[in-house]
Amino acid sequence: MDALRVEDVSLSIRESGILDGVSFSLEKGSFSAMCGHNGAGKSQLLRIIKGLARPSSGRILLDGRECSAKERMRRVGLVFQDAQMQMVAQSVEKDIAFGPENLGLDRDEVSRRVGMALALMGLEAHAKRRPQTLSGGELRKTAIAGVLAMEPDVILMDEPFANLDYPSTLTVIRSLLELHEKGFTILVVSHEAEKFLSHTDRLIVMSHGRVVVDGRACDEYHRLVENDIYIPPAASFEDLTWLA
Ligand SMILES: Nc1ncnc2c1ncn2[C@@H]1O[C@H](COP(=O)(O)OP(=O)(O)OP(=O)(O)O)[C@@H](O)[C@H]1O
Ligand SMILES: [Mg+2]
């Protein structure tokens, strides 16, 4: 069963085509990577799936059924590129509680979900901290926890490794793997797919508003180099002069 199906989605803004007939689906419990150059339309697509923007045409299905934007707002979790922007409260736990409270859940249920999200992201020790005092990796984990507390059917992440150093990137990848193990359906949009591609089931590449690669990550990974998305590491110092 597909947790998410995007069917022939197009988007034009003031006559200019942003997305052009995008179709793909994510199997329940799968972990997928989406890549593509700046401006390819990835973030706009995530906003449409989440229900934050309306496509010019096309449909979004969850569990095989077309869903309104309002329903998708509730059932699809989107972790934005800028985690700082996602912080709304004065402490980590209050920030994580914000989403479930907005769903109108009672206090016990909110507290159960906050506890679950803190534990899943290993943030218990930081529960009382102010988001402004967190490191980049901790902030990103808080943003992910906030989305988990909504208990979404599908988790979308827009550039979760942006501005993270190597240890923080590893921490976020480990958290993603744990979520994958727990059965969440995850789509990660990233310019750094080489960092986690070996753990994913699927690779989708977008170019100029279209899907140009969609297949098993193990079969399609070489297309990252072909599509100028991944630059293989230099064999020697001299090789670093790739502008020459
Ligand atoms: N409100 C808008 N009006 C006009 N064009 C827009 C608007 N929002 C986005 N675009 C354009 O849509 C295209 C796709 O943008 P999008 O943010 O989805 O790209 P992206 O693939 O996420 O790129 P990046 O890797 O840089 O994050 C870009 O060319 C962008 O300039
Ligand atoms: Mg983007």
Side-chain angles (χ1 to χ4, degrees):
M1 164 71 92
D2 291 330
L4 169 74
R5 175 152 184 75
V6 172
E7 223 172 71
D8 207 13
V9 163
S10 294
L11 172 71
S12 297
I13 302 180
R14 277 175 249 109
E15 312 282 300
S16 90
I18 310 286
L19 296 170
D20 180 11
V22 171
S23 295
F24 65 89
S25 43
L26 303 183
E27 215 173 289
K28 217 176 189 59
S30 61
F31 180 19
S32 308
M34 178 180 278
C35 307
H37 292 159
N38 292 138
K42 307 175 302 292
S43 295
Q44 288 295 335
L45 180 60
L46 296 191
R47 285 168 50 79
I48 288 173
I49 297 171
K50 165 80 177 160
L52 289 169
R54 275 168 62 96
S56 310
S57 61
R59 306 196 305 160
I60 311 289
L61 293 82
L62 296 178
D63 291 330
R65 187 173 59 79
E66 191 172 1
C67 287
S68 67
K70 192 173 167 208
E71 186 174 352
R72 295 193 320 266
M73 283 293 283
R74 188 170 52 77
R75 293 180 57 189
V76 175
L78 172 58
V79 182
F80 291 92
Q81 176 165 342
D82 186 351
Q84 192 88 47
M85 218 178 71
Q86 214 167 318
M87 299 300 129
V88 290
Q90 285 307 306
S91 77
V92 166
E93 63 183 358
K94 284 187 185 151
D95 196 87
I96 297 170
F98 181 79
E101 278 168 357
N102 268 1
L103 289 179
L105 301 171
D106 66 43
R107 212 196 270 192
D108 285 352
E109 178 61 11
V110 171
S111 138
R112 183 191 70 76
R113 289 192 179 197
V114 171
M116 174 275 296
L118 283 171
L120 268 177
M121 299 313 293
L123 284 168
E124 293 103 325
H126 302 298
K128 308 284 182 206
R129 298 258 311 267
R130 287 176 43 207
Q132 295 88 330
T133 68
L134 299 174
S135 75
E138 292 160 353
L139 200 62
R140 188 84 61 191
K141 289 206 285 182
T142 304
I144 298 173
V147 164
L148 290 180
M150 306 285 282
E151 299 198 342
D153 295 334
V154 179
I155 301 175
L156 311 173
M157 299 203 194
D158 204 352
E159 301 293 349
F161 314 116
N163 300 323
L164 295 190
D165 63 10
Y166 180 63
S168 301
T169 300
L170 274 187
T171 309
V172 172
I173 292 176
R174 289 206 179 99
S175 316
L176 289 177
L177 295 183
E178 262 180 58
L179 296 179
H180 179 40
E181 255 171 47
K182 291 197 156 53
F184 284 95
T185 306
I186 308 170
L187 173 66
V188 172
V189 167
S190 176
H191 292 293
E192 296 152 90
E194 73 282 0
K195 293 182 176 157
F196 64 102
L197 201 63
S198 65
H199 300 287
T200 61
D201 306 302
R202 292 269 304 287
L203 170 65
I204 299 168
V205 177
M206 289 195 54
S207 174
H208 301 287
R210 291 168 159 270
V211 172
V212 293
V213 174
D214 180 5
R216 293 198 313 169
C218 56
D219 296 331
E220 305 291 347
Y221 70 96
H222 60 277
R223 309 277 295 269
L224 291 182
V225 177
E226 279 172 28
N227 284 276
D228 286 334
I229 286 169
Y230 174 59
I231 303 163
S236 70
F237 184 70
E238 285 72 32
D239 291 339
L240 289 173
T241 59
W242 43 280
L243 266 188

